[in-house]
Amino acid sequence: MATLSPSLAISICGCRNCGALKPSKLTLATQSKKGSLGFPKTNDPGRSLLRSQVASNGAHRRKPILAVEAKSRPSSQEVVAPGIEVEDPSTVSTYHFRTQFGGSVKVSVGKKKNSNYVVYIEVSSLELEIRDCRLVMVWGIYRSNSSSFLPVNSLDPDSPSRDDGTMDNSFLQISPGKFIVQLAFEARQPPFYLSFLLKPMRSGVDVSGGLEIRSHRKTNFCVPVGFHPGSPTTLGLSYSADGSMNFALVSRTAQSVVLCLYDDDSKVDKPALEIDLDSYVNRTGDVWHASIEGGRTFQIYGFRCIPKGIDRSKVDRVLLDPYAKVIVNPLMKGKTSLLQNKYLGRLCKEPDFDWTGDVHPNLPMEKLVVYRLNVARFTQNQSSQLYSDVLGTFAGVIEKVKHLKDLGVTAVLMEPIFPYDKQQGSYSPLHFFSPSNLYGHSGGSTFAINSMKEMVKTLHANGIEVFMEVNFTHTAEYGAIQGIDDSSYYHHGKKVNGSGSNSALNCNYPVVTSLILDCLRYWVSQFHVDGFCFLNASSLLRGFHGESLSRPPLIEAIAFDPLLSKTKIVADFWDPREMLSKETLCFPHWKRWAEINTKFCHDVRSFLKGEGPLSSLATRLCGSGDIFSNGRGPAFSFNYVARNSGLSLVDLVSYSSDELLAAEVSWNCGEEGPTSKTMILERRLKQIKNYLFILFVSLGVPVLNMGDECGQSSGGSTSYLHRKPLDWSLLSTGFGIQTTQFISFLSALRGRRSDIFQKWNFLDVENIEWYGNDQSPPKWDDPSSKFLAMALKADRSKSMIDPESGYLKKGDIFMAFNAGRKMVSVLLPSAPEGMEWRRLVDTGLPYPVFFSGNGEPVDEQMQGLVVYEMKSHSCVLFEASSCDD
C-alpha cells in the first residue's frame, strides 16, 4: 500500500523554531495537464511578473470538493485564525511557508463545532505584474500516495475534477498583496494531506506563461488535515485530555517512518490507513511523532521503518511499538512460526485498576525468603485442582498463596513474563512493556494486565513481595525490536561475550538504556513490582562495541534512579542462551546491587559431595565476605543450591554418572537415577535436608526453586526446556510433607533468631568460633577433612539480658556439618551460664524427629560436658536455652 507524505510544515501554532522555515523533501511527478500540481517546465519564470496586484476575483468555474468558501472575515466571534470557527481554539494547527518569490503563505487547519474541518489559507506580500488577473489555488488531496490524488468522486460524487484529481479555487483579495480562501471538509474524510500551488489566471486562462508559485524549495505547499505533528516527549502511544492519540517512536537511522493503522485484529494483512511521517514536521531529533484525533474506528497500530537507501516498496514488515502497553497477536492468513511472533499495539488506554489498600511490604533485604517460580508451570498441572481458565495464569498464583505462606516465603521471583518467542522460550523476549497474554485467564492483553496487578496486590496483602526476572541482553531472533534502528538497538556484527547474534541488545547505548529504564519504572509505577533480577548481568557491562566498561551507564543509572530507589535490584550472571553462569570479578554495585551467588551453590555442593575445602564452606556460611565485604553486606548475597536450569534438588542427589553433569557437582549417593534401595534413598533424603539446612542457616537471602519442596524431577536433564509443571500431588507424599514442613521450620527459625541468621552486616569476628569435632581448631589445610563446627555467640549487650534472671534472653547457636561417610562424636562447647543446649536439627534422624521448634534436651556426660554422635552425611544445630524453659 502506498503511503502519505507531508511536505513543508514550518510552525505549529506559530511557534516552531520561531517561524523559521524548514525545507521540504516532497517531490511530485511532473504532470503535463494545464493546472496540475506538476513542476513547471522552467525552474525560474523570473520575477518580471511579480509586480502588479491581482485585480479580478470572479467566482471560479469549478464546484468545491465538499465546501469551499471565500470571504473576507469570519462571522463567528470564536476566531483563532481568520475564517476558522472552532469549538476548541487549542486544536488549530498553523503552518507557515515562504514562496519561491518571497511572499508568505499561512495555512490554518481547525475543526468546527459540527466536527467538519476547515482549512484557511492566507497569502501575503505577493505582488504580480499581470493586471486584471486573479490568484488561483490548484489543489488535491491524498492518503496513500503523494503522486496520486484521490478522485473527487471518492469524496463527493457531485463534485467534478480534472482527471488527475486536482481542483481550482480562486482567492479573495482583502487588501493589496493579501489573499484568502477557505476550504471545508466533512468529518468523515480525514486524515489526509492537502497539497496545493498558486497560479495567476484571467477569465479561466493561464496568462502567466506557465508560472506556478510553490514553496521556496520549489515544492508544493502541503498540510495534514485530521491529524497533527504530535509530541516527542512521551514515547509510545499516549492520550491527551481531548482524547487524541499521540504516537512517538525513536529511530535514528530510518529515512522515513510509516504509521500503520488497522480496523481490527482479524484484518491485519493490509493496513486500513498508512501515514508517512515527514522528517521535518513529524521528527524531533531522532523521535518520530504524530497525533490523531480520537473517536476513530482504528483498533491496532504499528510502524514501518524504511532505512536510508532502501526502496520503500521492499519494506513491508509492520513493527510493534517498543513502548506499547496493550498488545495483540493478530490473526493472519497462512500464519507461519515467524508470524506467530508478530505483535501489534492496541489502540486503547491501559485498563483501570483499583490499587486502593495496596501497600508495598518494603521488607529489609535480610528478611527475605525468595521462591522462584514460573507462572505457567506453577499451576498448569491438573493436580493443582484449579478451574481450567485459571491454570497457568496469574490468577492461579493467587489461588496458591497459602502454599507460599506455609513455606515462610516473603518474596516470589517470577521467571520472565514478557511475550516471548515460543520456539526459543521465555528467555527470548519479544516485548518489554506488557505481560504475556498467556498469563491472563481469557488470553487477552487487558486481562493479563489486570490479572497480574490483582496477583501483586494479593501477594502484598499477605506480606509477600514480587520480583521479576528480566533479560535485557537479548531478544528473540525475529519479531522483537529488529527493523526499527538495528545499528542502535543491537550489537550487529559484533561479538559480545562470544556471541555475534543479531539479537544481542546494545544495553549501554543511550536509546536502549532509556528504554530499559522506562520499562523498569513502568513496572514499578503501574504494577507495583518490588524488585528485579537481571539475567546475564555480565553482558550489561559491555559497551557499544562489546568492550568491557568499568562504569556501565545502565548499571549506574539503575542504582541511582529515584523511582527505583526502594526496589531490590539483583544481578544474575546466568546466561539463558548458553545455559551457564558467566561470573565477573567485580560487579560495579554502588552499594545498591545484590547478586545471585553462584559461588555459594558451587561451594556447598562441593562440600556435601565430600570434595570442597572447609574454608570455602565457612566463607559461604558467614555471608560470602570475599564478594560482598566491599561496601555491602551478607544481605546482598542471594544464595541458592538449585535453580530453574541445571539439576533440580532431587536430581542433584540422584544423577552424577554422565560426563555432561560434571559442572553440576552432583552426587547420586551410590546409584544412578531412580532406585528402590532403602540405604540409597535414606542417604539422598539426608543430602536434600543438608542442602536446605545450609541454605537457610547461611547469612544472606535463601532462594528456593519451584518444585524442590516436593521432589520434582526432570529425569537428570539440565535443560530448562525439560522442566515440567509443578505436580501438586507430590506435596501429599511422605517426602513432600516432611520437606515442606522442614522448610517452614527453617523459615521460622531464621525469623525467630534474626539476630544471628538475618544480618545486614557481617558477624563480628569475636562472635564466631570454629571447631573440629573435639573442640580443637578445624583442619583447614587438610583436604581430606569433611567436618566443620561453628559457635555463634548471641548479643550480650544490656538490652539482651533479662533483668530478672540476669541471663541472656537468647542463647548461642552451635552448628556442625559432617560430609564424611563415618559417624563423628562431637564435643559441644559449654553453654552460657544459666542455659543448656537443646537440639533443634539433626538431618541424620528420621521424620518427624529430625527437627523441633522447642528443641530436644541433650544429656550431659558429666557436668558441662556434652558429646553428641553425628551420623554420616548430616548436619546438626543446637541452641542454648534457659534451664527453666
Side-chain angles (χ1 to χ4, degrees):
M1 183 176 184
T3 57
L4 308 178
S5 178
S7 177
L8 180 65
I10 307 305
S11 176
I12 307 306
C13 298
C15 62
R16 179 184 287 260
N17 295 331
C18 300
L21 301 183
K22 279 189 178 182
S24 167
K25 288 189 175 181
L26 177 63
T27 303
L28 299 184
T30 301
Q31 301 181 33
S32 60
K33 185 164 184 172
K34 179 189 283 189
S36 70
L37 296 185
F39 283 107
K41 293 182 180 179
T42 58
N43 290 333
D44 187 3
R47 293 180 174 269
S48 60
L49 300 175
L50 299 177
R51 290 291 174 230
S52 180
Q53 298 177 357
V54 175
S56 175
N57 288 289
H60 193 260
R61 69 182 186 280
R62 292 201 175 276
K63 181 180 178 181
I65 190 168
L66 288 177
V68 178
E69 304 175 34
K71 55 186 179 180
S72 60
R73 291 289 183 272
S75 59
S76 171
Q77 308 236 336
E78 194 174 28
V79 178
V80 176
I84 294 189
E85 306 168 9
V86 296
E87 184 173 6
D88 183 2
S90 66
T91 62
V92 175
S93 296
T94 303
Y95 305 85
H96 293 274
F97 302 86
R98 187 174 73 245
T99 74
Q100 65 196 106
F101 302 114
S104 65
V105 176
K106 182 175 76 172
V107 183
S108 297
V109 182
K111 194 174 185 180
K112 300 177 69 175
K113 294 182 179 180
N114 61 3
S115 296
N116 290 342
Y117 287 86
V118 179
V119 179
Y120 177 84
I121 303 172
E122 179 181 300
V123 180
S124 303
S125 304
L126 183 65
E127 297 181 353
L128 300 176
E129 197 171 80
I130 305 173
R131 291 193 171 274
D132 299 325
C133 70
R134 52 195 169 83
L135 187 64
V136 174
M137 168 186 175
V138 183
W139 60 277
I141 67 171
Y142 62 89
R143 289 197 186 99
S144 59
N145 192 332
S146 60
S147 62
S148 178
F149 296 104
L150 289 173
V152 172
N153 290 341
S154 68
L155 298 181
D156 186 351
D158 298 326
S159 296
S161 66
R162 299 184 180 86
D163 293 339
D164 64 358
T166 62
M167 296 187 64
D168 299 352
N169 282 101
S170 296
F171 279 83
L172 174 67
Q173 184 175 6
I174 60 174
S175 64
K178 189 171 184 178
F179 310 88
I180 63 170
V181 69
Q182 179 173 295
L183 306 178
F185 299 94
E186 291 182 359
R188 63 185 176 87
Q189 301 306 332
F192 58 75
Y193 285 97
L194 171 67
S195 181
F196 66 93
L197 57 78
L198 309 176
K199 294 188 68 171
M201 300 184 71
R202 180 189 298 133
S203 301
V205 179
D206 183 357
V207 295
S208 64
L211 173 66
E212 294 177 341
I213 303 172
R214 292 179 171 80
S215 73
H216 73 291
R217 281 180 52 84
K218 302 178 183 178
T219 58
N220 297 85
F221 306 100
C222 187
V223 294
V225 179
F227 69 101
H228 306 279
S231 169
T233 55
T234 302
L235 296 179
L237 170 66
S238 59
Y239 286 82
S240 62
D242 63 0
S244 61
M245 300 175 290
N246 189 83
F247 304 86
L249 174 77
V250 176
S251 180
R252 178 178 57 87
T253 59
Q255 175 178 281
S256 62
V257 172
V258 182
L259 174 62
C260 303
L261 303 171
Y262 300 83
D263 288 330
D264 58 66
D265 57 6
S266 63
K267 299 177 182 179
V268 295
D269 295 310
K270 186 176 182 181
L273 178 67
E274 292 188 333
I275 301 176
D276 191 350
L277 307 185
D278 182 75
S279 60
Y280 290 90
V281 178
N282 302 103
R283 182 173 183 174
T284 303
D286 293 333
V287 183
W288 300 78
H289 44 84
S291 176
I292 296 180
E293 296 175 1
R296 303 197 177 277
T297 60
F298 302 119
Q299 296 186 26
I300 300 172
Y301 77 102
F303 296 96
R304 281 198 301 121
C305 296
I306 294 88
K308 296 177 182 177
I310 302 297
D311 186 349
R312 67 170 53 244
S313 65
K314 297 181 180 179
V315 182
D316 57 0
R317 182 181 161 208
V318 180
L319 308 172
L320 171 65
D321 175 7
Y323 278 79
K325 307 305 189 299
V326 183
I327 64 174
V328 60
N329 186 207
L331 301 173
M332 301 190 68
K333 296 179 181 179
K335 182 180 283 189
T336 64
S337 59
L338 290 179
L339 291 178
Q340 288 177 356
N341 290 343
K342 181 169 183 177
Y343 283 86
L344 294 174
R346 175 75 73 180
L347 285 171
C348 68
K349 295 181 180 180
E350 297 170 57
D352 294 330
F353 184 79
D354 183 8
W355 283 107
T356 303
D358 181 63
V359 178
H360 288 268
N362 283 329
L363 298 173
M365 205 135 63
E366 65 270 19
K367 303 290 185 183
L368 296 176
V369 174
V370 179
Y371 184 90
R372 186 200 304 267
L373 62 83
N374 179 290
V375 172
R377 294 174 183 170
F378 188 53
T379 60
Q380 202 171 45
N381 196 295
Q382 294 289 339
S383 62
S384 64
Q385 298 183 349
L386 301 178
Y387 291 111
S388 58
D389 63 340
V390 177
L391 297 176
T393 65
F394 294 122
V397 177
I398 295 175
E399 296 295 325
K400 296 299 182 180
V401 169
K402 183 179 182 301
H403 174 66
L404 299 174
K405 293 190 69 176
D406 288 345
L407 292 174
V409 169
T410 59
V412 294
L413 173 59
M414 297 185 297
E415 293 178 14
I417 59 170
F418 300 144
Y420 60 89
D421 185 337
K422 294 180 176 63
Q423 303 296 320
Q424 296 179 287
S426 61
Y427 288 101
S428 295
L430 293 163
H431 192 58
F432 297 115
F433 281 85
S434 178
S436 172
N437 298 349
L438 299 174
Y439 304 132
H441 59 83
S442 296
S445 185
T446 55
F447 287 104
I449 290 171
N450 274 353
S451 183
M452 178 178 171
K453 291 179 179 179
E454 189 63 45
M455 179 199 72
V456 173
K457 186 176 180 180
T458 302
L459 290 171
H460 283 178
N462 286 274
I464 300 175
E465 295 191 337
V466 179
F467 302 158
M468 292 173 57
E469 265 190 350
V470 290
N471 179 22
F472 289 121
T473 60
H474 288 79
T475 66
E477 297 282 351
Y478 180 90
I481 310 176
Q482 293 93 343
I484 295 176
D485 185 355
D486 290 354
S487 63
S488 297
Y489 283 98
Y490 289 98
H491 286 284
H492 270 274
K494 308 163 189 172
K495 286 197 172 184
V496 181
N497 282 351
S499 173
S501 170
N502 289 341
S503 64
L505 279 176
N506 197 352
C507 298
N508 286 298
Y509 193 79
V511 65
V512 185
T513 298
S514 295
L515 181 143
I516 294 173
L517 289 170
D518 289 342
C519 174
L520 298 174
R521 295 173 189 135
Y522 174 71
W523 287 101
V524 170
S525 62
Q526 299 302 312
F527 288 83
H528 293 201
V529 168
D530 303 284
F532 302 93
C533 181
F534 295 79
L535 296 165
N536 198 17
S538 58
S539 289
L540 298 177
L541 310 182
R542 300 294 174 180
F544 305 163
H545 307 291
E547 73 278 13
S548 181
L549 302 175
S550 60
R551 296 188 64 171
L554 176 61
I555 301 298
E556 186 171 5
I558 293 173
F560 293 104
D561 187 88
L563 188 59
L564 304 177
S565 63
K566 298 298 183 182
T567 63
K568 280 81 172 178
I569 50 177
V570 186
D572 187 350
F573 303 102
W574 180 67
D575 183 349
R577 287 290 179 116
E578 300 184 26
M579 295 295 177
L580 54 85
S581 182
K582 298 179 177 179
E583 298 295 325
T584 181
L585 292 177
C586 184
F587 189 82
H589 52 78
W590 284 280
K591 299 182 181 180
R592 277 280 288 127
W593 282 83
E595 298 178 27
I596 296 291
N597 193 344
T598 304
K599 287 186 177 180
F600 178 93
C601 175
H602 180 273
D603 289 346
V604 172
R605 288 184 181 186
S606 295
F607 174 79
L608 291 179
K609 190 178 180 180
E611 296 178 350
L614 300 181
S615 58
S616 294
L617 176 65
T619 301
R620 305 307 154 216
L621 290 169
C622 292
S624 299
D626 58 332
I627 303 174
F628 301 101
S629 60
N630 186 19
R632 293 181 288 179
F636 288 84
S637 175
F638 278 58
N639 303 327
Y640 72 97
V641 292
R643 60 177 300 154
N644 54 347
S645 65
L647 294 175
S648 65
L649 183 56
V650 71
D651 288 349
L652 190 62
V653 299
S654 304
Y655 296 90
S656 59
S657 296
D658 195 320
E659 292 182 359
L660 297 176
L661 298 178
E664 293 293 318
V665 199
S666 58
W667 178 44
N668 61 20
C669 296
E671 185 171 320
E672 188 75 0
T675 183
S676 58
K677 295 181 180 179
T678 302
M679 183 180 296
I680 301 296
L681 292 174
E682 289 179 349
R683 189 177 298 149
R684 289 178 178 177
L685 181 58
K686 283 196 297 182
Q687 286 290 79
I688 289 174
K689 292 186 288 186
N690 291 338
Y691 276 116
L692 293 172
F693 176 76
I694 296 176
L695 177 64
F696 276 82
V697 300
S698 298
L699 294 188
V701 177
V703 181
L704 287 168
N705 194 57
M706 182 188 80
D708 286 346
E709 72 270 32
C710 59
Q712 187 96 1
S713 173
S714 297
S717 172
T718 60
S719 173
Y720 170 79
L721 299 177
H722 292 164
R723 289 297 173 99
K724 303 174 184 177
L726 179 60
D727 186 350
W728 289 86
S729 64
L730 294 176
L731 290 171
S732 60
T733 64
F735 176 87
I737 292 172
Q738 62 177 296
T739 305
T740 52
Q741 289 183 4
F742 187 42
I743 293 173
S744 179
F745 163 79
L746 291 172
S747 297
L749 175 63
R750 281 179 62 87
R752 183 172 66 81
R753 293 308 308 267
S754 60
D755 58 311
I756 288 180
F757 297 120
Q758 294 181 341
K759 300 284 289 183
W760 176 260
N761 297 313
F762 291 101
L763 293 167
D764 294 331
V765 175
E766 59 268 21
N767 290 333
I768 308 174
E769 293 181 351
W770 301 100
Y771 300 104
N773 64 305
D774 56 358
Q775 290 198 43
S776 61
K779 300 178 181 178
W780 299 112
D781 299 326
D782 184 357
S784 64
S785 178
K786 305 292 187 294
F787 180 88
L788 180 66
M790 65 185 303
L792 301 174
K793 296 181 180 180
D795 185 1
R796 282 164 167 74
S797 61
K798 288 184 178 181
S799 61
M800 298 303 296
I801 297 178
D802 188 332
E804 295 183 3
S805 65
Y807 299 139
L808 290 173
K809 295 179 181 179
K810 294 182 179 180
D812 296 348
I813 295 291
F814 179 83
M815 295 183 291
F817 310 88
N818 179 21
R821 302 191 179 189
K822 296 180 180 179
M823 184 178 292
V824 176
S825 296
V826 182
L827 180 62
L828 275 66
S830 299
E833 184 179 358
M835 292 185 166
E836 63 180 3
W837 290 114
R838 292 190 179 185
R839 187 193 72 231
L840 271 61
V841 177
D842 183 349
T843 60
L845 298 177
Y847 176 78
V849 298
F850 74 89
F851 66 93
S852 171
N854 296 324
E856 298 295 328
V858 290
D859 298 330
E860 294 183 351
Q861 279 66 27
M862 60 181 65
Q863 184 67 31
L865 180 63
V866 177
V867 177
Y868 190 82
E869 299 295 328
M870 277 188 71
K871 293 181 173 56
S872 63
H873 305 293
S874 67
C875 301
V876 294
L877 183 148
F878 297 88
E879 182 182 24
S881 301
S882 173
C883 298
D884 298 330
D885 291 345

